[in-house]
């Protein structure tokens, strides 16, 4: 059980740490009244597993499945209204009204030109092609369109104003799309038709979410701020330029939500090993990305392959690719929508420490510990080494990161967690693995997730941890 006046839940690695499940769990157990999304957009992918099925969420905050909890999409989020409407309609078809949602009038709109440009240029970074980077670019250069351009203060669709803005913008964007990138032009009439239709469905939920949030905090409501992506994908402090385009940590939370609230319990969600999707440096990666893309892609209709006995024994004999494949297949590390294989590696504590520093984290949530079952020896990266020099901070020059080799500590693994119901019931080796992580980063693990269902979670008491 966990209790605080307010919470922050952020990713402590490269995204996909299992934040959705944790937000859902804390909402359930921690007395949360309001869930706030403050960064990113439909690039995020959270899956919530309930008894009645799986609910993949992208733009919607993870409290949306709880009708009594208010969910805010604040100004720091870039909103694709067409995507948002689809997500809402999908949930409505499954019995959730989504009336417990409010969208900031200051949130920037992802427009079709953002998606075209992202699909064309994003491959270098391996973006999700959801238009996120180009939309944040337009925000910074003051060319963006916001929710408030589409819906006015009275909650009505402002057709004249929005049509004017779209027509003048599309002229510029079409010139870039056709002349610079050699792509087809966009049809403004079609865009207006699509966006007006979406706006008709969303207009009653567009409001000044900062004002609302300030009122909620004054009333003493319990707020949970939900970060998308992970610390190492932060636009400033991640592995630039292989990052997303928003500030993912506590500063991004304050900026995006527009209200100064420092959440009391600041939780970093960290997988018991590491994964990354898309391009970019990954010091503790097991296997080579090129090989993984080719050999581990699969047709989502057929389903992922199974780990063979030969691959298992090769992994135990020290074959990095096979050990990475073990984590990928046992941990189901594939993009939910595309089937894109995630790159897998050992847990990188240097990276986690960076996440702790960025958000002033005071608790860790360790997910997918059960995936390490049966691996006899586990590695933890505790430093990087280059030209005989060791460092415990993440280097700025991501393009040189491949010249750093991780310095590993090796700890014995365990056979199985065997449905342990408390920390004390875990195998001694698992307890030691957890304690070593805590000592390295200097904060306690408060929640252990040992399966995708809500009930497969252990709560640990707060404790003071001395850094070693
Ligand atoms: P973008 O956010 O679509 O621009 O993608 C930039 C980078 O962030 C790419 O490497 C993506 O794979 C990664 N990324 C974006 N969102 C997520 C996420 O929610 N989980 C994991 N990786 C993400």
């Amino acid at each position: 059980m966990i209790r605080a006046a307010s919470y922050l839940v952020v990713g402590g690695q490269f995204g996909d740490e299992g934040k959705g499940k944790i937000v859902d769990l804390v909402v359930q157990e921690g007395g949360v009244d309001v869930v706030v999304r403050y960064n990113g957009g439909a690039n995020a992918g959270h899956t919530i597993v309930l008894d009645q099925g799986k609910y993949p969420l992208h733009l919607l905050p993870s409290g949306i499945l709880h009708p009594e909890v208010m969910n805010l999409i604040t100004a720091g989020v870039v909103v694709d209204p067409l995507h948002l409407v689809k997500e809402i309609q999908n949930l409505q078809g499954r019995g959730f009204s989504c009336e417990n949602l409010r969208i900031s009038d200051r949130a920037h709109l992802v427009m079709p030109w953002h998606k075209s440009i992202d699909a064309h240029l994003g491959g270098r970074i391996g973006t999700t092609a959801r238009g996120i980077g180009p939309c944040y670019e337009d925000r910074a250069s003051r060319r963006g369109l916001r929710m408030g351009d589409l819906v006015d203060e009275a909650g009505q669709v402002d057709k004249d104003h929005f049509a004017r803005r779209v027509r003048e913008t599309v002229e510029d964007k079409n010139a870039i799309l056709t002349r610079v990138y050699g792509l087809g032009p966009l049809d403004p009439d079609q865009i207006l038709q699509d966006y007006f239709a979406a706006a008709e469905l969303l207009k009653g939920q567009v409001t000044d979410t900062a004002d609302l949030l300030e009122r909620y905090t004054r009333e003493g409501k319990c707020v949970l701020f939900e970060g998308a992506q992970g610390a190492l994908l932060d636009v400033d402090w991640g592995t630039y330029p292989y990052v997303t385009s928003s500030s993912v940590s506590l500063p991004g939370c304050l900026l995006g939500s527009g209200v100064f609230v420092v959440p009391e319990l600041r939780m970093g969600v960290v997988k018991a090993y590491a994964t990354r999707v898309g391009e970019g440096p990954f010091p503790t990666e097991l296997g080579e990305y090129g090989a993984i893309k080719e050999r581990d892609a699969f047709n989502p209709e057929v389903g992922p392959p199974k780990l063979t006995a030969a691959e298992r024994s090769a992994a135990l004999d020290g074959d990095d690719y096979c050990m990475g494949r073990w984590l990928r297949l046992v941990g189901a590390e594939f993009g939910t929508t595309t089937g894109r294989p995630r790159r897998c590696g050992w847990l990188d504590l240097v990276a986690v420490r960076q996440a702790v520093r960025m958000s002033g984290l005071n608790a860790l949530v360790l997910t997918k510990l059960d995936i390490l079952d049966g691996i006899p020896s586990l590695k933890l990266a505790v430093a990087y080494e280059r030209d005989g020099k060791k460092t415990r901070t993440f280097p700025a020059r991501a393009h040189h990161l491949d010249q750093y080799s991780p310095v590993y500590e090796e700890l014995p693994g365990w056979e199985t967690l065997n449905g342990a119901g408390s920390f004390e019931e875990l195998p001694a080796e698992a307890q030691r693995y957890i304690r070593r992580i805590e000592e390295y980063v200097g904060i306690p693990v408060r929640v252990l997730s040992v399966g995708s269902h809500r009930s497969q979670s252990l709560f640990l008491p707060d404790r003071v941890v001395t850094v070693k």
Side-chain angles (χ1 to χ4, degrees):
M1 182 65 110
I2 211 148
R3 277 280 157 174
S6 52
Y7 304 89
L8 173 74
V9 178
V10 292
Q13 294 158 307
F14 293 100
D16 304 316
E17 298 94 350
K19 295 180 290 293
K21 175 193 162 177
I22 299 308
V23 172
D24 185 62
L25 183 72
V26 178
V27 166
Q28 188 84 347
E29 304 281 337
V32 171
D33 303 304
V34 185
V35 175
V36 174
R37 262 291 296 271
Y38 59 81
N39 77 302
N43 51 349
H46 297 161
T47 304
I48 296 181
V49 183
L50 303 185
D51 291 336
Q52 54 280 37
K54 282 187 179 182
Y55 297 84
L57 304 175
H58 297 280
L59 260 166
L60 287 168
S62 302
I64 199 74
L65 304 179
H66 301 266
E68 72 290 358
V69 171
M70 179 51 85
N71 289 267
L72 306 182
I73 294 179
T74 58
V77 179
V78 287
V79 177
D80 176 347
L82 312 186
H83 197 291
L84 183 57
V85 163
K86 268 199 210 132
E87 240 180 271
I88 291 173
Q89 286 175 336
N90 178 29
L91 282 192
Q92 284 172 337
R94 299 176 73 183
F96 296 91
S97 78
C98 294
E99 271 162 27
N100 51 337
L101 173 72
R102 298 292 178 272
I103 309 153
S104 170
D105 47 11
R106 287 170 173 82
H108 276 253
L109 297 175
V110 174
M111 300 299 295
W113 48 83
H114 296 137
K115 290 190 270 189
S116 301
I117 294 172
D118 201 12
H120 185 64
L121 296 181
R124 191 172 52 91
I125 290 180
T127 68
T128 58
R130 297 275 161 96
I132 307 300
C135 184
Y136 278 117
E137 265 179 58
D138 276 354
R139 178 180 82 151
S141 62
R142 294 149 297 172
R143 280 191 296 262
L145 287 143
R146 306 200 294 182
M147 204 45 112
D149 287 305
L150 187 54
V151 177
D152 68 16
E153 294 82 353
Q156 294 308 313
V157 182
D158 191 346
K159 289 196 171 178
D160 290 346
H161 169 76
F162 190 71
R164 200 169 343 104
R165 288 291 327 269
V166 165
R167 287 189 196 287
E168 68 194 25
T169 311
V170 102
E171 211 173 292
D172 284 354
K173 297 293 180 186
N174 273 346
I176 295 169
L177 289 173
T178 56
R179 287 191 227 144
V180 180
Y181 300 133
L183 301 171
L186 293 163
D187 172 7
D189 293 321
Q190 185 63 52
I191 296 175
L192 290 174
Q193 190 183 321
D194 295 343
Y195 278 64
F196 287 155
E200 285 300 334
L201 298 171
L202 299 174
K203 65 184 183 185
Q205 288 163 296
V206 175
T207 188
D208 181 345
T209 51
D211 201 39
L212 208 52
L213 183 57
E214 187 188 22
R215 205 178 74 215
Y216 289 147
T217 50
R218 230 184 301 116
E219 288 168 359
K221 291 212 163 31
C222 176
V223 182
L224 184 152
F225 296 90
E226 174 184 29
Q229 290 84 45
L232 275 298
L233 292 176
D234 184 90
V235 65
D236 293 302
W237 299 100
T239 53
Y240 190 89
Y242 300 97
V243 291
T244 192
S245 299
S246 65
S247 298
V248 306
S249 301
L250 180 60
C253 164
L254 302 180
L255 262 178
S257 54
V259 181
F260 184 76
V261 183
V262 178
E264 186 189 15
L265 190 59
R266 299 179 293 281
M267 308 164 91
V269 185
V270 170
K271 222 180 265 189
Y273 48 98
T275 62
R276 175 165 201 161
V277 284
E279 307 297 322
F282 183 6
T284 61
E285 180 165 20
L286 284 161
E288 195 259 314
Y289 187 29
I292 291 162
K293 264 199 272 191
E294 230 166 75
R295 290 163 68 182
D296 285 10
F298 70 94
N299 177 353
E301 278 165 27
V302 178
K306 293 255 180 314
L307 191 72
T308 65
E311 286 164 346
R312 192 175 282 267
S313 74
L316 297 176
D317 286 343
D319 181 316
D320 275 355
Y321 166 76
C322 286
M323 182 50 78
R325 186 169 157 90
W326 177 326
L327 294 173
R328 190 159 33 257
L329 297 185
V330 178
E333 298 294 354
F334 295 90
T336 33
T337 35
T338 57
R340 188 159 67 141
R342 294 185 188 137
R343 304 156 69 188
C344 294
W346 300 117
L347 179 53
D348 185 345
L349 293 180
V350 179
V352 176
R353 232 165 58 105
Q354 166 119 335
V356 174
R357 180 167 73 185
M358 286 164 67
S359 289
L361 298 178
N362 50 16
L364 284 184
V365 176
L366 196 62
T367 60
K368 290 190 138 178
L369 191 66
D370 53 312
I371 305 304
L372 299 181
D373 280 6
I375 303 179
S377 181
L378 302 168
K379 290 185 185 173
L380 290 170
V382 291
Y384 301 142
E385 190 170 306
R386 186 184 177 201
D387 301 332
K389 283 202 196 107
K390 280 190 192 160
T391 171
R392 274 165 57 110
T393 54
F394 215 86
R397 289 150 55 94
H399 52 293
H400 281 166
L401 214 52
D402 57 357
Q403 294 168 14
Y404 289 83
S405 28
V407 178
Y408 286 117
E409 264 179 31
E410 221 161 323
L411 294 180
W414 52 90
E415 201 42 52
T416 165
L417 298 182
N418 228 352
S422 67
F423 181 79
E424 290 68 32
E425 283 174 34
L426 290 170
E429 295 81 5
Q431 294 189 18
R432 200 164 142 205
Y433 188 72
I434 295 162
R435 293 297 186 222
R436 181 61 190 123
I437 295 167
E438 292 178 320
E439 282 169 6
Y440 186 91
V441 297
I443 57 172
V445 171
R446 297 292 309 280
V447 185
L448 265 180
S449 164
V450 293
S452 59
H453 199 273
R454 265 184 200 155
S455 62
Q456 293 170 300
S457 312
L458 310 181
F459 295 99
L460 278 59
D462 198 8
R463 47 194 284 282
V464 176
V465 177
T466 313
V467 178
K468 282 190 196 149

